[in-house]
Amino acid sequence: MDSNTSRAKRTPLQPLRSAGRQRVEELLAAASDLMAERGYEATTMAEIAARAGAKIGSLYRFFPNKEAVADALVQRHIAILEDEYAALAKRAATLSPEALADILIELLVTLHPRVKSLSALMEARTDKMEIRDRARGHAVAGIAAALRVCAPGLDEALAKDMAAVVLNTMKVLRSMLANDAPTTSGAPDELRRMNRLYLSDRLAPFRRGSDNATDGKTR
Amino acid sequence: MDSNTSRAKRTPLQPLRSAGRQRVEELLAAASDLMAERGYEATTMAEIAARAGAKIGSLYRFFPNKEAVADALVQRHIAILEDEYAALAKRAATLSPEALADILIELLVTLHPRVKSLSALMEARTDKMEIRDRARGHAVAGIAAALRVCAPGLDEALAKDMAAVVLNTMKVLRSMLANDAPTTSGAPDELRRMNRLYLSDRLAPFRRGSDNATDGKTR
DNA sequence: GCATTATTTGAGGATGGACTCAAATACGTC
DNA sequence: GACGTATTTGAGTCCATCCTCAAATAATGC
């Protein structure tokens, strides 16, 4: 009966049939949407179940408590983000700084919903922050690696600092595209411009054949 | 007895003596701190009273409900932010783009706690978003005005787009300085550098005496 | 000092939301 | 079709938190 670890609150109870696995997917999707919309605290377990088309009992079959739902979401989002950033460096080899800047921007735009949900989850507990920091470290490392592939000879510490800057620039674009701000419709393009300008200026000294560093039109 | 407006939930009951006014200050300060730390939902009315050195009854004497506390805080923060941005344009007349960039950055760093508290409050209700948007509009308008003072002839729409970019850049620095990220200690400086680079590049064509646009050391 | 009014207090009422569990139902396998 | 197990259900418990209110206390004006 108590063959499970006695340290867990209860049995985690993972799904064993396809119906259960699908239910878990629906529940997590509903929880992700709701928590991204309203935040962790404001989202109720009953709401999560309702949006997933289930009853609250089903929710508690697969997740011992509300925190476990948040944990599952965090883990899931982190894993996907790590994959994306790990894949980034491989694409960076043949790119100009300007093209790399644009690709980085595009990447975070597509990752937007997931990151937003993640930051909403962080509201919940401080002890999850270290997980977020770990993910951030992966992102920074991935971007820094891409920068150094693009510009060999770039100092590693500087690459990380620059990666942190670019990462946050991407976050900004994300929030610009999220809020519909009618007064600043040209702002996203300005941001891209700033990003290109910055990477172009900082990577120019380290590029191969740096005779024409000011012109970035490689294709 | 019901001489007050019949549309309000109850009588707002503003303080009439100095003791009451001070209590309101203490209560709002406590609420601001707690909600910035833990978020709106996670902050309880009892906690607010306790941190202010009061009992829950006193809190409810001056605020009919929790939402009213949030409203008061939002209003207060917005007013101060509007003042700061309105004062900005007056300082911008004699500055170089690079110096303006640095001053803008410094400004948002000092405004950090207030903005953080504000965004925590926004978690509460969607209908407060329009207030936030209004504040954002003031900020963008203030920065855009400063840019045009610094660079006459700059198109107004472009100035607003650039202002939005700079505003968000300031937000980024804010979050960089908040989280202690040991791996990227040089990132804030890199961000300042990007900001200077961007403003310098974009404002150069519009500056008076634009013969030495690349050098920004005005003093 | 006395009357009046503002402020404080804290025990409860009401509500909502996290979580339980025993019984019913659907599914998979033989 | 029968059996065992996974899944579903939803009424019910518990408790934290929002909020009330009548009585106590402190401040102010005369």
Side-chain angles (χ1 to χ4, degrees):
Chain A
M1 199 175 286
D2 54 352
S3 65
N4 279 324
T5 64
S6 57
R7 60 185 68 257
K9 300 184 177 186
R10 279 299 171 95
T11 47
L13 223 40
Q14 56 190 356
L16 300 180
R17 308 235 259 243
S18 70
R21 259 168 275 138
Q22 184 180 344
R23 186 55 16 124
V24 167
E25 292 304 313
E26 291 161 353
L27 289 168
L28 283 177
S32 179
D33 289 354
L34 284 168
M35 288 181 176
E37 279 175 30
R38 310 185 207 198
Y40 174 81
E41 299 274 358
T43 300
T44 73
M45 294 295 268
E47 274 176 332
I48 294 172
R51 180 171 293 204
K55 307 296 176 181
I56 194 170
S58 291
L59 178 50
Y60 275 96
R61 165 151 189 101
F62 298 113
F63 300 96
N65 51 42
K66 191 177 179 181
E67 198 184 341
V69 177
D71 285 343
L73 283 177
V74 167
Q75 216 171 331
R76 188 170 273 230
H77 288 152
I78 294 280
I80 291 179
L81 292 184
E82 284 180 354
D83 287 351
E84 292 283 346
Y85 284 115
L88 173 67
K90 297 176 182 173
R91 282 193 290 163
T94 61
L95 295 174
S96 71
E98 293 78 11
L100 177 61
D102 290 345
I103 282 186
L104 284 170
I105 290 252
E106 278 167 32
L107 176 62
L108 226 289
V109 171
T110 64
L111 264 42
H112 168 223
R114 216 168 287 277
V115 175
K116 182 165 188 202
S117 171
L118 239 188
S119 63
L121 264 346
M122 289 306 156
E123 164 206 334
R125 292 205 157 266
T126 315
D127 59 317
K128 290 197 194 71
M129 295 259 274
E130 69 179 50
I131 301 178
R132 201 261 307 266
D133 287 349
R134 194 162 56 80
R136 217 190 77 97
H138 274 265
V140 167
I143 295 174
L147 292 178
R148 296 184 76 201
V149 165
C150 183
L154 181 65
D155 180 62
E156 182 165 355
L158 177 56
K160 282 198 174 180
D161 290 340
M162 293 177 62
V165 169
V166 173
L167 177 62
N168 282 297
T169 303
M170 287 148 74
K171 276 191 202 163
V172 168
L173 183 67
R174 190 160 51 74
S175 70
M176 275 186 181
L177 296 177
N179 315 351
D180 42 354
T183 58
T184 58
S185 58
D189 282 340
E190 282 298 316
L191 191 85
R192 284 179 223 267
R193 184 170 191 143
M194 175 172 74
N195 201 38
R196 277 198 299 268
L197 210 57
Y198 171 67
L199 285 184
S200 178
D201 180 87
R202 295 297 272 157
L203 295 183
F206 304 101
R207 292 229 69 203
R208 286 178 292 257
S210 59
D211 51 342
N212 58 348
T214 57
D215 185 25
K217 298 187 178 181
T218 51
R219 50 171 174 152
Chain B
M1 197 175 289
D2 53 351
S3 65
N4 279 323
T5 64
S6 58
R7 62 186 67 256
K9 300 185 177 184
R10 278 300 171 96
T11 48
L13 225 38
Q14 55 192 355
L16 300 180
R17 307 232 259 246
S18 71
R21 258 168 276 137
Q22 185 181 344
R23 178 93 327 153
V24 167
E25 292 306 312
E26 293 162 352
L27 289 168
L28 283 178
S32 179
D33 288 354
L34 284 168
M35 288 181 176
E37 279 175 29
R38 315 212 234 266
Y40 174 80
E41 299 275 358
T43 300
T44 74
M45 294 295 267
E47 275 176 331
I48 294 172
R51 179 172 294 204
K55 306 295 176 181
I56 194 167
S58 292
L59 178 52
Y60 276 97
R61 165 153 187 97
F62 299 113
F63 300 96
N65 49 46
K66 191 178 180 181
E67 198 184 342
V69 178
D71 284 344
L73 283 177
V74 168
Q75 217 170 331
R76 189 168 272 231
H77 288 152
I78 294 280
I80 291 178
L81 292 185
E82 285 179 355
D83 286 352
E84 291 283 347
Y85 284 117
L88 174 67
K90 296 176 182 172
R91 283 193 289 163
T94 62
L95 295 173
S96 71
E98 292 79 11
L100 178 60
D102 289 346
I103 283 188
L104 285 170
I105 290 252
E106 279 167 33
L107 176 62
L108 226 287
V109 171
T110 64
L111 265 41
H112 170 220
R114 215 168 286 278
V115 175
K116 182 163 188 204
S117 170
L118 240 188
S119 63
L121 263 346
M122 288 308 156
E123 165 207 331
R125 292 204 157 268
T126 316
D127 58 318
K128 292 198 193 67
M129 295 260 275
E130 70 178 51
I131 302 178
R132 200 262 307 267
D133 287 350
R134 194 162 57 80
R136 216 191 80 97
H138 275 263
V140 167
I143 296 173
L147 292 178
R148 296 184 76 202
V149 165
C150 183
L154 180 64
D155 180 62
E156 182 165 352
L158 178 56
K160 283 199 173 179
D161 290 339
M162 292 176 63
V165 168
V166 173
L167 177 61
N168 282 297
T169 303
M170 288 148 72
K171 277 192 203 163
V172 167
L173 183 66
R174 191 161 48 77
S175 71
M176 275 186 180
L177 295 177
N179 316 351
D180 43 354
T183 57
T184 57
S185 58
D189 282 340
E190 282 297 318
L191 191 82
R192 286 179 221 267
R193 184 171 192 143
M194 176 172 73
N195 200 38
R196 277 199 297 270
L197 209 58
Y198 171 67
L199 285 184
S200 178
D201 179 86
R202 294 298 274 158
L203 296 183
F206 304 100
R207 292 229 67 202
R208 287 178 291 257
S210 59
D211 52 340
N212 57 347
T214 56
D215 185 24
K217 299 187 178 180
T218 51
R219 52 170 176 154

